[in-house]
Amino acid sequence: MKECKTIQKVIFILAVICVSITQSWADSWKEIFFADPTIFVENGKYYLTGTRNREPQGFAILESTDLKHWTVPNGKDLQLILRKGDQAFGEKGFWAPQYFKDKRTYYFTYTANEQTVIASSKSVFGPFRQKEVKPIDASAKNIDSFLFKDDDGKYYLYHVRFNKGNYLWVAEFDIKKGSIKPETLKQCMDCTEPWEKTPNYKSAPVMEGPTVMKWDGVYYLFYSANHFMNIDYSVGYATASSPFGPWKKHPNSPIIHRSLVGENGSGHGDVFKGLDGKYYYVYHVHRSDSTVSPRKTRIVPLILKKGNDGIYNITVDKEHVIKPMWK
């Protein structure tokens, strides 16, 4: 009997220790607060960055192998891949980054001072710098850049310009000069659908956060609509047979919305192909039902099913939304 009680006591102590270790492990992981996030995939790893809106100004990086658990690559508390004042344009408003690799060069487009910018590096970890510190197009304010390379080798810059609201534009891009070809500049579409302009937050029309994919010869333009402070900030998509359009908005839109993913302000992210061969969308949501910022990062699998017209009907696997954590 005495031995039995001793064994029970040992088992109880071990259970307490296991619970404590598990709780300590869980407590060491923290939520990720990147707005306008993007994920770059290479060599069996995911690299995440996004808008931080805090000092030191610039862009930080996290890495992962499973999309759920993220760490700082250099093992420290913070690793910046582009820093304010380090041979890169901008003093404030470092927003909406995108990784783009072409041959052996890594490019990094972002917004600063309400201007789109491109920098480069020979490493995914940066530092991303400019030979000539300048914006892509200083002739007008423009934000939310996305660089796309077509099958014929031409480059296109999708971005947002202001005209009593935020609208999506595209222009052919000269990657050697780091500038658009202004004669090719064209607005992609207007704000026309009820889901793109809900009354829950009063603002001018907003269409932003573009990502372009090309599947089976068709161009897919993912974008966010409504003001980011609107609980109905959400993601839809349009298709075209040319990088310049005309764009046809898909009736499935929005594909990411609070009614689908369960959190307010769900939008402005990027599409990426996972290590499992599936496509995902990384985006941000409001901090809570009553607070917008700092915005939290989320990831959701995309479901692509081709319709009779050859166009993919895109939905999300709302039962498997990932809430990534870091330490």
Side-chain angles (χ1 to χ4, degrees), residues 103-150:
K103 298 177 182 177
R104 296 183 180 181
T105 300
Y106 296 85
Y107 293 94
F108 195 77
T109 68
Y110 66 97
T111 298
N113 295 17
E114 294 189 324
Q115 295 284 326
T116 56
V117 189
I118 186 167
S120 64
S121 175
K122 292 299 181 182
S123 168
V124 70
F125 303 110
F128 286 92
R129 294 172 172 144
Q130 297 180 283
K131 291 181 180 179
E132 183 181 355
V133 177
K134 64 176 184 177
I136 289 173
D137 176 22
S139 67
K141 290 183 177 181
N142 52 98
I143 64 172
D144 292 3
S145 50
F146 183 86
L147 189 57
F148 172 77
K149 184 180 181 180
D150 208 348

XYZ file of all heavy atoms in Angstrom, residues 103-150:
392
model
N 16.144 35.723 -61.142
C 17.473 35.130 -61.298
C 18.132 35.037 -59.916
O 17.578 34.423 -59.027
C 18.301 35.929 -62.308
C 17.661 35.928 -63.705
C 18.433 36.782 -64.693
C 17.736 36.791 -66.054
N 18.424 37.672 -67.029
N 19.274 35.687 -59.711
C 19.958 35.570 -58.421
C 19.779 36.796 -57.534
O 20.399 36.899 -56.481
C 21.455 35.320 -58.652
C 21.759 33.992 -59.342
C 23.254 33.782 -59.465
N 23.568 32.517 -60.121
C 24.797 32.069 -60.342
N 25.855 32.813 -59.951
N 24.998 30.905 -60.943
N 18.913 37.690 -57.957
C 18.705 38.917 -57.194
C 17.347 38.906 -56.507
O 16.339 38.541 -57.111
C 18.804 40.152 -58.110
O 20.105 40.192 -58.721
C 18.586 41.433 -57.319
N 17.354 39.296 -55.247
C 16.115 39.459 -54.494
C 15.726 40.939 -54.557
O 16.541 41.814 -54.249
C 16.298 39.054 -53.029
C 16.630 37.599 -52.831
C 17.953 37.156 -52.917
C 15.638 36.665 -52.546
C 18.271 35.818 -52.731
C 15.946 35.331 -52.355
C 17.262 34.910 -52.456
O 17.579 33.588 -52.266
N 14.494 41.182 -54.950
C 13.971 42.548 -54.955
C 12.939 42.682 -53.834
O 12.307 41.709 -53.419
C 13.331 42.873 -56.297
C 14.316 42.931 -57.437
C 14.556 41.813 -58.236
C 15.024 44.098 -57.710
C 15.468 41.856 -59.277
C 15.932 44.159 -58.762
C 16.158 43.033 -59.533
O 17.071 43.073 -60.562
N 12.780 43.890 -53.382
C 11.856 44.159 -52.280
C 11.140 45.463 -52.596
O 11.759 46.523 -52.682
C 12.653 44.293 -50.976
C 11.826 44.212 -49.730
C 11.374 42.989 -49.258
C 11.518 45.357 -49.010
C 10.626 42.904 -48.094
C 10.771 45.277 -47.852
C 10.319 44.050 -47.386
N 9.840 45.384 -52.844
C 9.068 46.597 -53.088
C 8.265 46.927 -51.838
O 7.829 46.038 -51.112
C 8.128 46.449 -54.296
O 7.093 45.506 -53.996
C 8.886 45.977 -55.523
N 8.069 48.209 -51.605
C 7.367 48.632 -50.397
C 6.874 50.058 -50.576
O 7.153 50.714 -51.594
C 8.282 48.522 -49.171
C 9.477 49.455 -49.164
C 9.453 50.670 -48.478
C 10.650 49.127 -49.863
C 10.556 51.522 -48.471
C 11.756 49.972 -49.856
C 11.700 51.172 -49.168
O 12.784 52.013 -49.164
N 6.147 50.537 -49.582
C 5.678 51.925 -49.556
C 6.391 52.677 -48.447
O 6.581 52.146 -47.353
C 4.159 51.983 -49.313
O 3.480 51.323 -50.385
C 3.670 53.415 -49.216
N 6.776 53.912 -48.723
C 7.292 54.828 -47.698
C 6.986 56.246 -48.159
O 7.066 56.536 -49.367
C 8.786 54.650 -47.483
N 6.630 57.130 -47.230
C 6.263 58.505 -47.579
C 5.182 58.549 -48.662
O 5.162 59.445 -49.511
C 7.479 59.299 -48.070
C 8.531 59.488 -47.002
O 8.536 58.801 -45.991
N 9.436 60.424 -47.231
N 4.305 57.546 -48.662
C 3.242 57.412 -49.663
C 3.808 57.370 -51.087
O 3.253 57.947 -52.022
C 2.188 58.509 -49.507
C 1.424 58.394 -48.200
C 0.246 59.337 -48.120
O 0.340 60.477 -48.631
O -0.776 58.935 -47.535
N 4.922 56.659 -51.227
C 5.547 56.417 -52.519
C 5.951 54.943 -52.587
O 6.364 54.360 -51.586
C 6.803 57.281 -52.707
C 6.551 58.771 -52.766
C 5.971 59.201 -54.102
O 6.282 58.647 -55.147
N 5.098 60.190 -54.062
N 5.833 54.348 -53.771
C 6.313 52.975 -53.937
C 7.822 52.999 -54.189
O 8.345 53.913 -54.833
C 5.601 52.261 -55.089
O 5.749 53.019 -56.298
C 4.125 52.078 -54.775
N 8.494 51.970 -53.683
C 9.958 51.925 -53.706
C 10.401 50.508 -54.057
O 9.723 49.534 -53.720
C 10.537 52.311 -52.318
C 12.045 52.489 -52.399
C 9.882 53.568 -51.766
N 11.551 50.380 -54.708
C 12.145 49.068 -54.946
C 13.605 49.098 -54.514
O 14.348 50.024 -54.831
C 12.007 48.627 -56.426
C 12.514 47.191 -56.593
C 12.702 49.597 -57.377
C 12.138 46.561 -57.933
N 13.995 48.066 -53.749
C 15.376 47.895 -53.303
C 15.788 46.467 -53.642
O 14.954 45.637 -54.011
C 15.487 48.167 -51.804
N 17.060 46.150 -53.500
C 17.525 44.813 -53.873
C 18.607 44.317 -52.925
O 19.210 45.080 -52.168
C 18.051 44.816 -55.312
O 19.186 45.656 -55.425
N 18.848 43.003 -53.003
C 19.866 42.355 -52.190
C 20.239 41.031 -52.840
O 19.496 40.508 -53.682
C 19.337 42.109 -50.767
O 20.279 41.374 -49.996
N 21.364 40.488 -52.430
C 21.767 39.159 -52.892
C 21.350 38.074 -51.897
O 21.639 36.904 -52.091
C 23.286 39.108 -53.122
C 23.764 39.952 -54.297
C 23.124 39.481 -55.616
C 23.612 40.292 -56.802
N 22.965 39.862 -58.076
N 20.649 38.486 -50.842
C 20.216 37.542 -49.817
C 18.758 37.790 -49.455
O 18.290 38.945 -49.461
C 21.078 37.690 -48.558
O 20.509 36.983 -47.465
N 18.054 36.731 -49.118
C 16.676 36.854 -48.672
C 16.589 37.649 -47.367
O 15.560 38.245 -47.051
C 16.038 35.451 -48.502
C 16.643 34.717 -47.318
C 14.521 35.532 -48.364
N 17.698 37.682 -46.624
C 17.746 38.404 -45.354
C 18.179 39.862 -45.506
O 18.328 40.577 -44.519
C 18.706 37.695 -44.390
C 18.352 36.257 -44.148
C 19.144 35.235 -44.640
C 17.201 35.924 -43.448
C 18.816 33.903 -44.426
C 16.859 34.594 -43.226
C 17.671 33.580 -43.720
N 18.404 40.293 -46.766
C 18.862 41.656 -46.979
C 20.315 41.824 -46.568
O 21.081 40.866 -46.555
N 20.731 43.054 -46.212
C 19.887 44.242 -46.179
C 19.509 44.719 -47.582
O 20.340 44.700 -48.492
C 20.756 45.274 -45.461
C 22.163 44.853 -45.752
C 22.127 43.351 -45.797
N 18.246 45.112 -47.746
C 17.776 45.625 -49.023
C 18.098 47.114 -49.096
O 17.721 47.901 -48.227
C 16.274 45.376 -49.178
C 15.966 43.924 -49.453
C 15.693 43.051 -48.409
C 15.985 43.433 -50.747
C 15.421 41.707 -48.651
C 15.726 42.096 -51.007
C 15.443 41.228 -49.951
N 18.813 47.467 -50.175
C 19.268 48.847 -50.350
C 19.075 49.281 -51.799
O 18.806 48.451 -52.679
C 20.746 48.956 -49.961
C 21.009 48.716 -48.475
C 22.477 48.648 -48.174
N 22.749 48.611 -46.739
C 23.728 47.912 -46.172
N 24.544 47.186 -46.928
N 23.901 47.945 -44.866
N 19.241 50.577 -52.018
C 19.114 51.146 -53.354
C 20.442 51.746 -53.803
O 21.139 52.368 -53.001
C 18.046 52.244 -53.373
C 16.642 51.775 -53.047
C 15.671 52.939 -53.097
O 15.618 53.746 -52.181
N 14.912 53.028 -54.190
N 20.769 51.583 -55.065
C 21.950 52.258 -55.610
C 21.705 53.757 -55.647
O 22.593 54.556 -55.336
C 22.255 51.724 -57.016
C 22.742 50.280 -57.026
C 23.045 49.817 -58.447
C 23.540 48.367 -58.450
N 23.812 47.882 -59.823
N 20.494 54.129 -56.053
C 20.081 55.534 -56.035
C 18.832 55.632 -55.177
O 17.805 55.010 -55.489
C 19.785 56.027 -57.459
C 19.420 57.500 -57.514
C 19.118 57.964 -58.928
O 19.291 57.168 -59.874
O 18.689 59.132 -59.085
N 18.912 56.373 -54.100
C 17.799 56.452 -53.152
C 16.698 57.342 -53.731
O 16.840 58.575 -53.801
C 18.286 56.990 -51.787
C 17.113 57.132 -50.825
C 19.337 56.049 -51.205
N 15.606 56.697 -54.151
C 14.495 57.422 -54.780
C 13.270 56.510 -54.833
O 13.381 55.281 -54.740
C 14.870 57.846 -56.199
C 15.113 56.658 -57.136
C 15.382 57.105 -58.566
C 15.519 55.887 -59.496
N 15.709 56.298 -60.907
N 12.079 57.095 -55.016
C 10.884 56.289 -55.214
C 10.794 55.816 -56.661
O 11.535 56.290 -57.531
C 9.745 57.243 -54.871
C 10.293 58.587 -55.219
C 11.763 58.525 -54.903
N 9.873 54.903 -56.926
C 9.697 54.405 -58.286
C 9.138 55.495 -59.200
O 9.616 55.693 -60.314
C 8.758 53.175 -58.282
C 9.483 51.977 -57.643
C 8.300 52.830 -59.696
C 8.605 50.761 -57.433
N 8.111 56.197 -58.731
C 7.475 57.247 -59.539
C 7.114 58.416 -58.639
O 6.118 58.369 -57.912
C 6.223 56.698 -60.232
C 5.469 57.764 -61.002
O 6.087 58.792 -61.360
O 4.266 57.569 -61.252
N 7.924 59.453 -58.679
C 7.725 60.615 -57.808
C 6.725 61.616 -58.374
O 6.467 62.653 -57.756
C 9.067 61.312 -57.575
N 6.118 61.325 -59.524
C 5.210 62.284 -60.157
C 3.875 62.384 -59.424
O 3.157 63.368 -59.577
C 4.955 61.883 -61.614
O 4.227 60.659 -61.682
N 3.535 61.367 -58.636
C 2.278 61.383 -57.885
C 2.381 60.384 -56.740
O 3.209 59.469 -56.769
C 1.107 61.017 -58.801
N 1.540 60.565 -55.728
C 1.532 59.596 -54.637
C 1.024 58.244 -55.132
O 0.069 58.174 -55.908
C 0.638 60.097 -53.491
C 1.207 61.288 -52.737
C 0.309 61.661 -51.581
C 0.924 62.807 -50.785
N 0.067 63.177 -49.617
N 1.678 57.174 -54.694
C 1.242 55.832 -55.062
C 1.751 54.840 -54.026
O 2.868 54.978 -53.535
C 1.696 55.463 -56.474
C 3.173 55.660 -56.711
O 3.961 54.730 -56.638
N 3.582 56.904 -56.983
N 0.925 53.869 -53.677
C 1.230 52.935 -52.586
C 0.918 51.500 -53.001
O 0.412 51.258 -54.100
C 0.429 53.299 -51.308
C -1.067 53.134 -51.559
C 0.738 54.730 -50.857
C -1.931 53.286 -50.314
N 1.216 50.556 -52.096
C 0.808 49.147 -52.248
C 1.285 48.523 -53.562
O 0.482 48.101 -54.406
C -0.708 49.006 -52.149
C -1.237 49.309 -50.769
O -0.444 49.689 -49.899
O -2.451 49.157 -50.561
N 2.589 48.435 -53.735
C 3.149 47.912 -54.979
C 3.173 46.387 -55.005
O 3.377 45.732 -53.982
C 4.567 48.455 -55.173
O 5.333 48.266 -53.995
N 2.974 45.832 -56.208
C 3.139 44.394 -56.441
C 3.782 44.207 -57.795
O 3.231 44.612 -58.822
C 1.803 43.656 -56.388
C 1.956 42.161 -56.554
C 2.213 41.351 -55.461
C 1.894 41.578 -57.812
C 2.395 39.975 -55.607
C 2.071 40.206 -57.981
C 2.317 39.408 -56.865
N 4.962 43.601 -57.811
C 5.725 43.398 -59.041
C 5.416 42.012 -59.613
O 5.480 41.006 -58.897
C 7.215 43.541 -58.745
C 8.176 43.577 -59.933
C 7.824 44.695 -60.904
C 9.608 43.759 -59.430
N 5.073 41.988 -60.895
C 4.693 40.740 -61.561
C 5.505 40.580 -62.843
O 5.647 41.521 -63.626
C 3.194 40.765 -61.901
C 2.729 39.618 -62.754
C 2.528 38.365 -62.205
C 2.486 39.809 -64.114
C 2.095 37.305 -63.000
C 2.057 38.760 -64.913
C 1.850 37.506 -64.356
N 6.045 39.371 -63.064
C 6.772 39.063 -64.290
C 5.963 38.080 -65.115
O 5.603 36.994 -64.648
C 8.152 38.470 -63.979
C 8.997 38.207 -65.228
C 10.357 37.618 -64.854
C 11.216 37.382 -66.089
N 12.549 36.807 -65.742
N 5.681 38.447 -66.347
C 4.881 37.592 -67.227
C 5.768 36.564 -67.926
O 7.009 36.634 -67.874
C 4.139 38.450 -68.250
C 2.840 37.798 -68.706
O 2.633 36.603 -68.408
O 2.036 38.481 -69.371
